[in-house]
Amino acid sequence: MNIQWPGLVTTPAFSYLYHKKIPVDNILNISNLSKTYQSAGRTLTVLDQINFSVAAGSTNAIVGPSGSGKTTLLGLCAGLDRSTSGTVELNGINLSNLTEDQRAQVRNQHVGFIFQNFQLLPTLTALENVMVPLELRGEKNIRARALDLLDKVGLSERGHHYPLQLSGGEQQRVSLARAFSNAPRILFADEPTGNLDAETSDKVIKLIFDLNKEAGTTLVVVTHDPELAAKTQRIIRIKGGKLISDEKTINA
Amino acid sequence: MNRVILSGILLTALTIAGCGNGAKSSNNDQNQAATEVVKTDSASKKIVLFFGDSLTAGYGLDDPADAFPGVISKRVDSLKLPYKVINAGLSGETTAGGNGRINWLLKQKIDVFVLELGANDGLRGIPVSETAKNLQSIVDKVKSKYPDAKLVLLGMQVPPNMGADYSNKFKSVFPTLATKNKMELVPFLLKDVAGVPSLNQGDGIHPTTQGAKIVADNVWAVLKDDLK
Amino acid sequence: MDNNIDFKRKINIPWLFRMALRDSRRNRSRLFLFISAIVFGIAALVAIYSFKYNVQNDINDQAATLIGADLAISGNKPVDDQLKHMLDSMGDERSQERSFASMLYFPRTNGTRLVQIRALQGGFPYYGTLETTPEAAGLTFKKGRMALVDKTLMLQFNARVGDSVKVGNLNFQIAGILNKAPGQSGVMAGIAPVVYIPMQYLEQTGLIKIGSRVNYSFYYKFNSSVNVNKLSKNLDPVLDKAGMRFETIETKKDNTGRAFGDLSRFLSLVGFVALLLGCVGVASAIHIYVKEKIASIAIMRCLGVKSSEAFLIYLIQIIGIGIIGSVSGAILGTAIQHLLPLVFKDFLPFTISVQISWMAIGQGILLGVIISILFALLPLISVRNISPLNTLRMSVDESGRRRDPLRWLVYLLILIFVIAFSYLQLDSIMGSILFTLGILIAFMILTVTAWLLMRITKAIVKGSWSYLWRQGFANLYRPNNQTIILIVSIGLSTMFICTLYFVQTLLVQQVNLSSSGNQSNMILFDIQSSQEKGVVQLTKQQGLPVLQQVPIVTMRIEQINGKTAADLTKDTTIKIQHGVFAWEYRVTFRDSLTSSEKLLDGKWIGQADPSKEIPVSVEENLSKRGNLKIGDKIVFNVQGVQMPAYVASIRKVNWGKVQTNFQVVFPKGVLEDAPQFHVLMTHVPSNKVSAAFQQLVVKTYPNVSIIDLGLILSVVDELLSKISYVIRFMSAFSIITGIVVLIASVRISKYQRIQESVLLRTLGASRKQIFTITALEYWFLGSLSALTGILIAFAGTYFLAKYSFEIPYSVNVLPALVLFLIVSLLTVIIGLLNSRGVLNKPPLEILRTNA
């Protein structure tokens, strides 16, 4: 660790600096994680006391019926949202204590995303979409590296196309290339095949696992798809906001 | 005098609200006094009526008693002469206007009638014959109502800028009229005052208090004999 | 380990610019649409401002002909050496004039007439010309012993160019007929026709002697931009001491009546409206544009873009759009300003100069950029708070975003900015604040209306309604609705248009009232009672109208509630001004009010009972000076006769008309026998008629004096007709631009409904069904906002008329109704045009190209 932070560091917000018990083998630690929403005077509990850890380099699936809270869980794990209580520790960094901007940087440095609806920037070309995270990090040879990544997902020819000119599968592949562009420690995927047909799904899944293996990235995927889940090493089941099972698969 | 009648007429807003805007003088006191005199003292005092325009009314003076009839009135009082002076001056009055309103004033008894009109006619370039005709008509009316009244005519002149021809004709109206009607004549009312900036107000035509005293002297020189 | 996070990562400015540019590349057509709204807003502003500045200059130049010089100094005494030295050292060009009344003699026809001689030396007039027939005479007469003689006078004495006239001792040859002359105001010019002679012959006329009444005038022209008003202010004490007066173009304008003031107030209003039209155009475009960008921002945030970076990317983009839009708008506006007068050249009664107004262009561009930024800031500051979670779910935590305290700062900035810019237009801080406040109120009314509409439709839309109606109405309150933005922008535009129209109508009426038209331009006064009938008859015989005929009785006020002038001097607590007693009142008597009078208090009594106190009516200002209230007792001294009266009513008098107005009006029945003279007013159509009529009157009634205002009024009339035209032109132009801005701001809602329409289309909705749904939504939006806007305009016009222009308020409902229909229909038509694309192309193509 070599975190430099200006000024006095005494507030609880920065307590993560002092709890340096970083289990090196765990990239993600979730403890007592809860999320509630206030709605029309009622408290709606979406996630209730979730605990689990994810080992670095592993592949994991979070499954559960619609409305079980799995997407919320993903959002919290990835630092897209703030929990009501409990902690999320990503690569040894306690996300709960960071500001949104600091979390954004954590995401930029360590996290990759794949979304059900791809979430490419519609006004940027495929290539530019892949370039953004690299550019944010101020890296060098961005264009070449982005082209290389596009090449890996088999789209080197289509870099100059806008997302809307691409098919769903192609868009998801672009987003995959983008997700891996910053060589993330962990990749979160939200129903990555949810909008794709079976054949395209298979291709995309294969790509995800291949890239994952190649880069040694940890994978956390939220899915309905039992086939996809079965390809991971571990399946965490959520129902009604509670963790109901956590089992290793034969891949483990 | 032309300014007197016209100053109330603005370019786009014609207002005949108070021709002689800014007129500070007032002949109230005299008129009020006159009315009182008529009621109370008429038996004991004789009436001197000054019938004229703004020169008589004292246009532009802080105190209307400073106009020449007022000066004369004070002189009459200090000499304890049995006369009451009435100021019937009206700013902007022409001979035609005077001819129109003389009857209104003849309702009260008059012993000495001092006629000071014509200046406004002259400044408006009204034909001299017309001025003479109107003045004659006024005199006729006074004579027919009060045949015994003594008549005094105050002579006027127009400024030289009107042109020698007109000026001369205008000037001659007064002696002619006086002779014809056997009136006492003050040859030129504004003698020693007209054209002297220090004795005239800013408009260059109405005498100041100082100027009015000289005017009063001019009149007194003729009038004093009638009051004895 | 590689988890070192440099939270202090520097913002990479070039990258932000690159992202901003990239993000704008896709969908240029859409961007163009937004920019076009800015372009129209700014074009409207620049064109209106340019016209405004040009027109202001034109009218100022025109006003300059009223005195013919930058500065005119006059007095009735010769100047002393010291003053002469000062007068001779001022200005870049100097002229002198001696003017005086004199009798002019026409040797050929043997006629004599009082005239005003103007002996001129130097290049005066510097503005306008001495308009003469033949044309050159205006300049050449100064070279010899020649004169210019007033047109009416020429006609009256049957004189011809080349004849001689005698001024004093000297004969002058008539070089030309004087038709019009700058600086020809003053009543002297009315009562006595003007004759110009060269000053070098003045001495020889023999008219300037001791006792002569001469007016000395000095005219100056300043080539450099000397602040004449400041200069004259410095001169004032010196001149005042010397008993001299000065006139500048400014003071002349102030004295020429209210038309100039009305015009400049109106142009300020137009400027303010243009400013807000610009704001509406820019703000509505930017607002919708940024709203569309929220999804992209969420993705960027997800990828690790800091909120400040996201904020900056779009800020940069908006500034770019703002600059492009504003510059194009300024170019378009300037082009319009140059082209329009060319196109309408044949219809314009006078030329509007078309100088490029850098002031207008600068203000337009600055305004476009600043407004773009400010209005982008509102959605953009919430961008800082857009949760990246939006990538997973749209609009989470919507409520949390609204409470950003920075919003208030932005509101404040917008407010300050609008006030600052309106200050540039209105030149009055109080005015700017009040105008802005008015707009704020209008804005709030429209927002509340929109909000209520959404609430109400939500409550009343029933499942039992036909699907099309339900859908059409539901679009008004559903998420992603455009109700507020459209109601506010349509409503505000309608309000501006309507207010401009109303105010324009009121002002043009007002201006036409003060121009002569059928109003009196000739005044006959000093008519004696015995002559009254004859003069009226004579007037009618000549085919001239008797526009007014009033008896006038002179009187003074002797007592007010028992207090006299003497009491006033003794008791300083009496709240009556001294002048009230000193004044010689010219009073009339009649049984009714005239059209220029309005009763403020009390009861008008038109007939008096001679045995009782006389009920009189007092003018407002006199009531103030004399501290007079209804029922107060006044004793009038009517040339020696005391008349007790009481204040029965207090009137307001419109002094702006050429007619007789009175401070005190008596009822009928008491003054009939009092000494009085009569005034008659008529309108003479031409110099010829005027000359003939004057001759006839003078011949029959030599004592009657005539003021011919024709010459004076024609200069003023020309000016007024220009002012009236300028007001109409500016309002028509602003109204048209207002409509264009309105169209542009409705047009940008094009993409708002496209997804839904495509979906419906995909689901098999027919053209007609989609048309009906769209038409219903837009009709409702259009009609409601037009109605609200017009109602606000009614109120706005009332306040403007009452407090800003101080003119009587009256509006015509019919044009408002027409405007209502136009705006509503326009909205529907644009709405339908917006969805036309959806109907003519396959749904997928639309989704692909526009999503």
Side-chain angles (χ1 to χ4, degrees):
Chain A
M1 281 290 289
N2 182 22
I3 296 176
Q4 302 208 331
W5 196 254
L8 276 173
V9 186
T10 51
T11 60
F14 302 102
S15 57
Y16 71 96
L17 290 173
Y18 302 104
H19 302 285
K20 289 186 180 175
K21 40 168 195 173
I22 310 157
V24 178
D25 50 340
N26 278 351
I27 181 95
L28 182 67
N29 283 319
I30 305 290
S31 51
N32 299 326
L33 192 67
S34 295
K35 179 76 181 175
T36 55
Y37 288 105
Q38 296 292 328
S39 175
R42 281 198 353 225
T43 307
L44 186 71
T45 304
V46 184
L47 289 175
D48 190 9
Q49 298 285 326
I50 308 281
N51 287 287
F52 67 88
S53 296
V54 171
S58 62
T59 56
N60 309 269
I62 299 173
V63 296
S66 292
S68 59
K70 55 185 192 300
T71 300
T72 308
L73 180 58
L74 184 81
L76 287 172
C77 291
L80 293 176
D81 199 4
R82 203 186 280 266
S83 62
T84 311
S85 68
T87 56
V88 175
E89 208 176 75
L90 188 79
N91 203 24
I93 302 163
N94 186 345
L95 296 183
S96 331
N97 295 327
L98 298 187
T99 66
E100 176 40 49
D101 265 351
Q102 289 167 339
R103 283 193 309 233
Q105 308 226 21
V106 172
R107 287 198 295 273
N108 182 239
Q109 299 288 319
H110 301 313
V111 180
F113 283 102
I114 301 177
F115 303 96
Q116 180 172 4
N117 46 4
F118 325 134
Q119 301 289 16
L120 295 173
L121 290 164
T123 51
L124 269 58
T125 61
L127 181 64
E128 286 166 352
N129 262 289
V130 178
M131 285 162 71
V132 168
L134 292 169
E135 288 172 331
L136 270 174
R137 285 154 59 119
E139 309 238 344
K140 303 223 159 54
N141 292 328
I142 292 168
R143 200 175 176 81
R145 285 174 61 185
L147 274 170
D148 194 39
L149 281 160
L150 274 181
D151 193 36
K152 274 187 183 156
V153 297
L155 289 173
S156 52
E157 299 298 306
R158 311 212 60 179
H160 60 282
H161 283 101
Y162 288 99
L164 281 162
Q165 295 165 323
L166 301 171
S167 72
E170 287 169 331
Q171 286 191 49
Q172 194 60 302
R173 274 146 66 194
V174 173
S175 97
L176 212 65
R178 183 178 67 182
F180 278 101
S181 66
N182 58 347
R185 304 269 299 153
I186 184 163
L187 178 72
F188 291 99
D190 180 30
E191 301 278 13
T193 57
N195 277 349
L196 303 174
D197 61 82
E199 200 178 327
T200 317
S201 276
D202 287 346
K203 276 188 194 157
V204 168
I205 290 172
K206 187 172 179 312
L207 205 53
I208 293 175
F209 281 90
D210 286 354
L211 287 170
N212 191 52
K213 201 170 281 171
E214 194 185 314
T217 308
T218 314
L219 178 70
V220 177
V221 56
V222 162
T223 187
H224 279 306
D225 183 357
E227 211 175 310
L228 172 57
K231 290 198 167 120
T232 64
Q233 298 161 337
R234 178 187 180 187
I235 296 175
I236 296 164
R237 284 178 202 282
I238 305 268
K239 196 175 176 185
K242 287 192 162 73
L243 196 152
I244 51 166
S245 80
D246 181 355
E247 47 201 46
K248 302 230 150 94
T249 65
I250 46 162
N251 305 321
Chain B
M1 285 161 262
N2 55 352
R3 167 118 352 108
V4 175
I5 190 81
L6 290 172
S7 57
I9 302 164
L10 304 173
L11 177 55
T12 54
L14 180 83
T15 75
I16 303 202
C19 302
N21 281 349
K24 287 180 230 141
S25 73
S26 163
N27 56 356
N28 296 340
D29 297 344
Q30 281 89 342
N31 279 336
Q32 189 183 357
T35 322
E36 280 165 14
V37 166
V38 172
K39 282 176 195 158
T40 58
D41 290 352
S42 56
S44 58
K45 282 195 175 178
K46 290 182 175 174
I47 300 297
V48 183
L49 182 79
F50 282 88
F51 187 61
D53 48 39
S54 53
L55 295 173
T56 299
Y59 171 84
L61 295 175
D62 286 336
D63 187 348
D66 290 341
F68 78 89
V71 177
I72 286 169
S73 174
K74 275 177 215 146
R75 208 163 288 176
V76 167
D77 289 349
S78 66
L79 293 173
K80 303 218 162 50
L81 298 171
Y83 286 92
K84 182 73 210 170
V85 170
I86 296 176
N87 186 332
L90 198 60
S91 296
E93 190 75 299
T94 58
T95 54
N99 190 25
R101 80 172 162 125
I102 184 67
N103 283 338
W104 179 266
L105 288 150
L106 292 180
K107 287 176 184 171
Q108 55 197 332
K109 172 94 170 65
I110 290 164
D111 301 287
V112 180
F113 181 75
V114 184
L115 180 56
E116 184 270 300
L117 278 176
N120 283 318
D121 294 38
L123 290 173
R124 282 188 222 163
I126 287 170
V128 172
S129 57
E130 181 67 17
T131 303
K133 196 184 87 190
N134 287 329
L135 288 173
Q136 181 60 53
S137 168
I138 293 169
V139 172
D140 289 345
K141 283 176 185 164
V142 177
K143 272 186 174 168
S144 69
K145 187 105 189 247
Y146 303 108
D148 298 335
K150 291 174 181 166
L151 305 176
V152 179
L153 183 62
L154 306 184
M156 268 312 291
Q157 294 179 10
V158 290
N161 55 278
M162 293 297 285
D165 187 38
Y166 186 77
S167 299
N168 292 336
K169 279 191 202 154
F170 184 86
K171 199 158 58 179
S172 68
V173 165
F174 298 89
T176 313
L177 211 67
T179 315
K180 185 179 165 198
N181 296 291
K182 298 190 180 70
M183 299 167 84
E184 302 272 6
L185 176 71
V186 176
F188 180 32
L189 176 67
L190 298 178
K191 184 167 73 95
D192 302 333
V193 176
V196 183
S198 61
L199 296 176
N200 285 288
Q201 298 176 30
D203 60 12
I205 199 154
H206 292 106
T208 58
T209 309
Q210 211 51 43
K213 281 183 185 152
I214 300 173
V215 175
D217 288 342
N218 293 340
V219 177
W220 185 251
V222 175
L223 185 66
K224 60 180 183 202
D225 298 332
D226 290 317
L227 301 184
K228 282 177 181 161
Chain C
M1 253 195 88
D2 171 27
N3 61 354
N4 303 349
I5 312 265
D6 179 10
F7 287 122
K8 285 172 74 186
R9 189 185 75 204
K10 269 209 196 133
I11 290 176
N12 183 348
I13 308 276
W15 181 73
L16 294 180
F17 272 91
R18 200 155 66 236
M19 278 304 282
L21 185 66
R22 276 178 189 163
D23 186 69
S24 70
R25 244 175 5 202
R26 180 77 179 137
N27 286 334
R28 284 275 154 91
S29 67
R30 181 181 269 193
L31 195 64
F32 180 75
L33 189 66
F34 287 112
I35 291 185
S36 72
I38 301 175
V39 169
F40 285 128
I42 299 302
L45 180 115
V46 170
I48 292 173
Y49 277 17
S50 301
F51 274 128
K52 185 188 140 173
Y53 292 135
N54 275 310
V55 150
Q56 249 163 2
N57 286 338
D58 286 355
I59 292 290
N60 279 345
D61 288 350
Q62 191 70 34
T65 68
L66 285 175
I67 69 170
D70 288 313
L71 175 67
I73 295 175
S74 64
N76 57 13
K77 275 176 248 166
V79 292
D80 58 33
D81 287 345
Q82 198 188 343
L83 191 62
K84 187 172 184 301
H85 182 74
M86 190 193 82
L87 290 175
D88 286 348
S89 63
M90 285 195 314
D92 297 299
E93 287 183 61
R94 289 177 284 274
S95 285
Q96 281 195 47
E97 190 190 85
R98 308 264 187 278
S99 61
F100 52 90
S102 191
M103 299 304 280
L104 187 74
Y105 179 61
F106 292 84
R108 193 173 67 80
T109 46
N110 206 15
T112 310
R113 168 80 160 92
L114 179 77
V115 295
Q116 191 190 21
I117 302 289
R118 293 187 168 198
L120 184 65
Q121 174 220 46
F124 178 86
Y126 302 113
Y127 302 101
T129 50
L130 293 171
E131 283 181 31
T132 53
T133 318
E135 216 170 292
L139 291 171
T140 53
F141 84 96
K142 283 181 229 170
K143 296 192 181 112
R145 216 166 74 189
M146 289 184 277
L148 300 177
V149 178
D150 175 272
K151 193 176 180 181
T152 316
L153 192 60
M154 293 286 284
L155 289 164
Q156 238 176 312
F157 290 91
N158 207 9
R160 294 179 300 239
V161 173
D163 281 3
S164 68
V165 282
K166 196 173 175 195
V167 179
N169 304 326
L170 214 56
N171 278 317
F172 289 81
Q173 191 191 31
I174 300 178
I177 304 167
L178 182 65
N179 298 318
K180 209 158 82 185
Q184 261 231 5
S185 48
V187 173
M188 202 49 209
I191 191 168
V194 170
V195 173
Y196 272 98
I197 58 167
M199 204 200 271
Q200 62 262 36
Y201 297 104
L202 181 60
E203 200 56 48
Q204 298 174 48
T205 60
L207 295 175
I208 308 300
K209 290 180 179 163
I210 291 172
S212 288
R213 299 191 63 222
V214 182
N215 202 49
Y216 301 79
S217 299
F218 301 84
Y219 299 107
Y220 297 94
K221 182 170 191 289
F222 295 91
N223 291 332
S224 52
S225 55
V226 174
N227 188 336
V228 177
N229 294 323
K230 214 168 143 190
L231 175 76
S232 55
K233 221 167 257 165
N234 294 336
L235 285 175
D236 195 22
V238 185
L239 295 176
D240 197 50
K241 222 171 122 194
M244 302 189 87
R245 298 178 304 276
F246 70 89
E247 255 186 342
T248 64
I249 297 167
E250 273 321 300
T251 61
K252 191 73 204 179
K253 275 159 73 179
D254 289 347
N255 293 334
T256 303
R258 46 172 307 149
F260 283 107
D262 280 350
L263 177 70
S264 84
R265 269 186 293 272
F266 181 76
L267 288 179
S268 297
L269 177 71
V270 166
F272 187 75
V273 166
L275 167 75
L276 290 159
L277 280 178
C279 284
V280 169
V282 176
S284 55
I286 293 293
H287 182 79
I288 293 185
Y289 183 77
V290 173
K291 256 173 78 179
E292 283 191 351
K293 291 292 175 187
I294 285 175
S296 291
I297 293 164
I299 298 171
M300 286 189 199
R301 303 279 285 128
C302 223
L303 297 176
V305 173
K306 281 200 266 185
S307 62
S308 56
E309 289 169 332
F311 177 80
L312 284 174
I313 288 172
Y314 285 97
L315 193 63
I316 291 167
Q317 202 177 59
I318 295 299
I319 292 175
I321 292 175
I323 290 174
I324 295 171
S326 309
V327 171
S328 325
I331 294 170
L332 181 66
T334 309
I336 291 172
Q337 181 225 343
H338 278 78
L339 287 177
L340 211 60
L342 280 183
V343 174
F344 292 105
K345 199 170 57 192
D346 296 341
F347 304 99
L348 298 184
F350 75 106
T351 45
I352 296 177
S353 50
V354 282
Q355 291 203 311
I356 289 183
S357 167
W358 294 109
M359 178 80 176
I361 291 173
Q363 280 192 56
I365 293 175
L366 196 66
L367 178 110
V369 176
I370 294 178
I371 276 287
S372 298
I373 294 170
L374 285 179
F375 277 84
L377 277 181
L378 276 185
L380 275 184
I381 53 166
S382 52
V383 157
R384 294 178 322 125
N385 301 330
I386 287 177
S387 166
L389 207 59
N390 275 340
T391 46
L392 298 178
R393 281 193 196 90
M394 208 51 205
S395 69
V396 212
D397 259 0
E398 189 89 56
S399 56
R401 293 213 329 252
R402 292 238 171 91
R403 299 257 157 72
D404 198 315
L406 274 179
R407 284 184 87 81
W408 296 107
L409 184 69
V410 178
Y411 287 137
L412 190 71
L413 280 176
I414 293 177
L415 215 61
I416 290 173
F417 162 77
V418 172
I419 291 174
F421 253 81
S422 29
Y423 177 71
L424 276 179
Q425 292 303 313
L426 303 179
D427 242 354
S428 132
I429 292 177
M430 204 55 210
S432 310
I433 291 174
L434 286 177
F435 268 57
T436 311
L437 211 65
I439 295 301
L440 200 67
I441 291 168
F443 184 83
M444 289 202 289
I445 292 174
L446 284 164
T447 313
V448 168
T449 309
W451 182 79
L452 278 177
L453 174 72
M454 286 159 67
R455 279 300 165 98
I456 291 168
T457 44
K458 196 169 181 176
I460 61 163
V461 170
K462 297 245 167 61
S464 58
W465 293 13
S466 91
Y467 170 71
L468 297 179
W469 280 80
R470 228 165 51 217
Q471 182 74 18
F473 276 90
N475 275 344
L476 294 173
Y477 63 81
R478 285 201 185 134
N480 196 30
N481 67 64
Q482 51 197 359
T483 306
I484 289 188
I485 180 83
L486 279 188
I487 286 198
V488 169
S489 53
I490 300 174
L492 281 181
S493 318
T494 314
M495 181 190 94
F496 295 149
I497 293 170
C498 197
T499 308
L500 269 187
Y501 180 82
F502 284 159
V503 171
Q504 179 257 125
T505 319
L506 287 180
L507 281 184
V508 168
Q509 268 172 16
Q510 200 69 23
V511 172
N512 288 348
L513 272 183
S514 9
S515 73
S516 63
N518 281 320
Q519 277 197 61
S520 324
N521 60 5
M522 183 175 278
I523 303 160
L524 282 66
F525 66 97
D526 221 18
I527 303 168
Q528 301 307 310
S529 294
S530 56
Q531 303 169 326
E532 192 195 0
K533 268 196 188 124
V535 175
V536 170
Q537 209 177 7
L538 196 68
T539 310
K540 287 183 175 159
Q541 268 170 12
Q542 296 300 301
L544 298 174
V546 175
L547 295 171
Q548 237 192 346
Q549 182 194 352
V550 286
I552 290 172
V553 179
T554 307
M555 58 182 75
R556 282 191 154 123
I557 289 180
E558 185 143 323
Q559 289 179 22
I560 292 176
N561 289 331
K563 306 279 184 232
T564 63
D567 294 326
L568 221 61
T569 340
K570 281 178 236 152
D571 185 353
T572 49
T573 59
I574 302 173
K575 287 188 195 136
I576 299 171
Q577 291 182 22
H578 206 284
V580 171
F581 288 109
W583 204 279
E584 280 177 282
Y585 294 87
R586 301 290 197 259
V587 170
T588 195
F589 52 93
R590 47 178 142 86
D591 57 6
S592 57
L593 291 171
T594 65
S595 62
S596 63
E597 294 173 319
K598 213 177 100 189
L599 215 57
L600 290 182
D601 198 4
K603 200 176 140 223
W604 169 257
I605 298 171
Q607 188 68 41
D609 183 342
S611 59
K612 288 182 186 154
E613 281 183 333
I614 306 153
V616 296
S617 180
V618 171
E619 192 264 340
E620 192 187 9
N621 292 321
L622 175 62
S623 77
K624 282 179 194 151
R625 287 200 307 277
N627 193 25
L628 292 167
K629 291 172 296 292
I630 298 296
D632 279 0
K633 309 255 186 264
I634 306 178
V635 176
F636 286 96
N637 182 335
V638 186
Q639 293 164 44
V641 176
Q642 300 201 15
M643 291 194 162
Y646 69 95
V647 179
S649 63
I650 293 171
R651 286 163 308 134
K652 192 184 183 68
V653 174
N654 177 6
W655 297 98
K657 289 172 93 176
V658 179
Q659 66 175 51
T660 50
N661 285 313
F662 297 90
Q663 298 196 70
V664 179
V665 175
F666 268 59
K668 281 194 161 180
V670 278
L671 289 180
E672 276 77 353
D673 292 335
Q676 56 192 267
F677 67 91
H678 299 259
V679 169
L680 184 144
M681 301 186 118
T682 183
H683 177 89
V684 288
S686 68
N687 297 74
K688 221 174 191 157
V689 176
S690 169
F693 182 58
Q694 287 191 42
Q695 234 171 344
L696 203 62
V697 171
V698 170
K699 208 171 110 197
T700 329
Y701 306 99
N703 65 293
V704 172
S705 289
I706 299 170
I707 301 179
D708 182 1
L709 293 172
L711 199 64
I712 299 162
L713 287 181
S714 71
V715 179
V716 175
D717 266 1
E718 195 179 302
L719 203 63
L720 289 178
S721 73
K722 281 187 186 179
I723 287 178
S724 140
Y725 177 76
V726 161
I727 288 175
R728 268 177 292 183
F729 173 80
M730 285 306 289
S731 90
F733 182 71
S734 310
I735 285 171
I736 290 166
T737 44
I739 286 175
V740 172
V741 170
L742 188 147
I743 289 173
S745 59
V746 178
R747 184 76 181 143
I748 49 171
S749 68
K750 180 176 174 183
Y751 297 105
Q752 204 88 5
R753 285 278 162 261
I754 219 157
Q755 298 275 4
E756 276 182 44
S757 298
V758 169
L759 190 62
L760 286 172
R761 192 82 173 124
T762 317
L763 292 175
S766 71
R767 272 176 85 90
K768 214 180 129 194
Q769 285 169 318
I770 292 181
F771 253 47
T772 314
I773 292 171
T774 313
L776 275 171
E777 183 187 359
Y778 278 95
W779 169 261
F780 223 84
L781 286 174
S783 59
L784 190 74
S785 33
L787 183 69
T788 316
I790 288 169
L791 289 179
I792 299 174
F794 274 103
T797 310
Y798 173 79
F799 287 111
L800 282 174
K802 179 146 189 200
Y803 297 106
S804 181
F805 292 98
E806 293 173 357
I807 46 177
Y809 168 77
S810 74
V811 291
N812 202 342
V813 181
L814 194 68
L817 204 68
V818 172
L819 183 69
F820 169 78
L821 286 175
I822 289 176
V823 171
S824 305
L825 286 175
L826 254 179
T827 313
V828 171
I829 290 167
I830 301 158
L832 292 180
L833 281 178
N834 279 352
S835 62
R836 193 190 49 176
V838 177
L839 303 171
N840 295 339
K841 285 182 195 155
L844 200 61
E845 191 183 323
I846 293 154
L847 282 182
R848 284 254 159 143
T849 52
N850 289 318

